[in-house]
DNA sequence: TATAGTATACTGACTGCTCGGTCAGGTTAC
DNA sequence: GTAACCTGACCGAGCAGTCAGTATACTATA
């Protein structure tokens, strides 16, 4: 049956794609985009170098695919958690904790994510607009929530953008510290610290 | 007179070194370490490629030299300003404002600094211990000052390390935003925002 | 002051190597 | 038998670093 045969191939193909992507993520995390070679990735994936080009057009393609994969998952997760929280304080807590927890699980991805977006300023690295938008969306959602809270008088009249940015940055700092740290504090504690700090800074009382 | 001749050469040599370093800083800032080529640097400095190797041993050498140059200046300036402030609130303000102002002036350096140290986690880039220590020293000094303030009861009993790190990170965030931003807010205002936020979070009242 | 001699500074064509991407040919599954 | 899948030797571009040769500055001597 042609349809069934087609599907079988598709499944196999998707499996290979994912296999390569996982291997690539590890290599990119360890070495960075430049230093990672296609031979490295092929070796890690357990396939020949030529095979990579059956599934992806270029090294950059694989890199972007692994970046996008993680970013979409993170973005969707964060958006859902934030939306589910009612009060602004809980939204902030959800934002911070979701991110801290996600990166706790996805350390390879964090290294790629951080290397790429930590450097947006440094050398604006011609990312597809779509990815860049996905990245910026994270702060924007938070900003909107904060602005809303200001409008409703739930918190002091702060610059929503700046506060959102500050939360975003401290969160990254905490995650970075967790990756470096061997003591292994709990994600909840680190998250609580930020929320506490920010809340004292912007809360109404 | 041999001594006079020697000195003359030294001066000339130092001048060339500085000339190359300035050119290299611009190129590294624009393209990043990997993408910058020795031909680029030679072109920017207005000398032949071979000349670069009369003053520096390798591309990496030039890169490290430009990094160290800026980092030493920043570190010395910050340490002096923080030491000059008496109360912890003023120390924090000095820390933040000195950095914001410094990077406002040294945007090329910021791009190199940020690309390198923003990624310490990403791929621990075999920097000389000396440079790494100089970088970490910045947070440590602040941490000590905060710990002291806690011990004296000037502020709430917070985790000095975590707070220092948070201040460090938000400061970087603000600087990043300033570089991206076209509206040109005043360094003082951006600095005041952070200090205000942090102070509400850790202050005694 | 002119000239020859020498040391120092500089240059850019060249070399060797790395690595992204290709493709002719092999392998596997049915 | 054949179609889909896979491979890795190979190609060519790009670039760090070299070095034989040139230019410049300085010194010694007449």
């Amino acid at each position: 049956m042609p349809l069934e045969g087609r599907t079988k191939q598709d499944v196999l193909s998707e499996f290979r794609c994912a296999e390569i992507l996982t291997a690539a993520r590890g290599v990119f995390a360890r070495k960075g985009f430049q230093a990672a070679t296609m031979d490295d990735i092929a070796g890690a994936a357990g396939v020949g170098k030529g095979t990579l080009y059956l599934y992806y057009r270029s090294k950059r393609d694989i890199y972007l695919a692994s970046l996008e994969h993680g970013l979409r998952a993170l973005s969707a997760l964060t958006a859902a958690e934030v939306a589910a929280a009612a009060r602004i304080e809980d939204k902030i807590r959800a934002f911070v904790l979701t991110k801290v927890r996600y990166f706790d699980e996805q350390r390879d991805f964090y290294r790629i994510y951080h290397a790429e977006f930590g450097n947006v300023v440094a050398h604006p690295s011609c990312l597809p607009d779509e990815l860049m938008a996905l990245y910026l969306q994270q702060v924007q959602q938070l900003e909107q929530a904060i602005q809303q809270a200001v409008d409703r008088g739930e918190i002091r009249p702060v610059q929503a953008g700046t506060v959102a940015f500050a939360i975003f940055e401290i969160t990254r700092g905490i995650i970075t510290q967790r990756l470096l740290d061997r003591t292994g504090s709990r994600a909840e504690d680190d998250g609580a610290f930020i929320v506490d700090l920010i809340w004292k800074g912007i809360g109404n009382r």
Side-chain angles (χ1 to χ4, degrees), chain A residues 55-106:
Chain A
Y55 296 93
Y56 296 93
R57 293 225 311 280
S58 66
K59 179 182 171 183
R60 181 165 183 76
D61 239 44
I62 302 183
Y63 178 73
L64 290 179
S66 64
L67 199 57
E68 181 171 0
H69 178 264
L71 192 53
R72 281 204 187 285
L74 170 64
S75 189
L77 199 62
T78 309
E81 296 284 327
V82 169
R87 295 178 309 158
I88 182 65
E89 192 179 350
D90 294 327
K91 281 183 190 290
I92 293 174
R93 180 171 294 114
F95 182 88
V96 174
L97 271 180
T98 307
K99 285 176 75 89
V100 171
R101 285 200 193 110
Y102 182 80
F103 284 123
D104 261 5
E105 300 294 320
Q106 307 286 337

Side-chain angles (χ1 to χ4, degrees), chain A residues 55-178:
Chain A
Y55 296 93
Y56 296 93
R57 293 225 311 280
S58 66
K59 179 182 171 183
R60 181 165 183 76
D61 239 44
I62 302 183
Y63 178 73
L64 290 179
S66 64
L67 199 57
E68 181 171 0
H69 178 264
L71 192 53
R72 281 204 187 285
L74 170 64
S75 189
L77 199 62
T78 309
E81 296 284 327
V82 169
R87 295 178 309 158
I88 182 65
E89 192 179 350
D90 294 327
K91 281 183 190 290
I92 293 174
R93 180 171 294 114
F95 182 88
V96 174
L97 271 180
T98 307
K99 285 176 75 89
V100 171
R101 285 200 193 110
Y102 182 80
F103 284 123
D104 261 5
E105 300 294 320
Q106 307 286 337
R107 305 215 157 186
D108 276 352
F109 172 63
Y110 179 68
R111 292 196 158 84
I112 300 172
Y113 170 91
H114 191 271
E116 189 58 46
F117 293 110
N119 278 336
V120 181
V121 192
H123 348 104
S125 58
C126 312
L127 285 179
D129 290 346
E130 196 191 353
L131 270 191
M132 203 58 211
L134 205 56
Y135 174 73
L136 293 175
Q137 202 183 309
Q138 298 182 82
V139 201
Q140 284 159 3
Q141 283 173 350
L142 188 62
E143 181 179 344
Q144 280 167 19
I146 292 173
Q147 186 59 56
Q148 210 172 51
V150 169
D151 293 342
R152 290 177 183 165
E154 293 173 32
I155 57 177
R156 295 197 297 127
V158 292
Q159 289 287 333
T162 317
V163 172
F165 203 75
I167 295 174
F168 194 65
E169 289 294 323
I170 314 187
T171 306
R172 188 173 69 186
I174 293 284
I175 294 164
T176 300
Q177 217 180 22
R178 290 180 65 77

Side-chain angles (χ1 to χ4, degrees), chain A residues 177-202:
Chain A
Q177 217 180 22
R178 290 180 65 77
L179 257 79
L180 288 172
D181 202 11
R182 295 160 199 275
T183 60
S185 54
R186 289 171 55 238
E188 282 67 21
D189 296 339
D190 284 344
F193 161 75
I194 306 180
V195 176
D196 182 55
L197 184 74
I198 295 290
W199 191 247
K200 284 209 169 60
I202 67 173

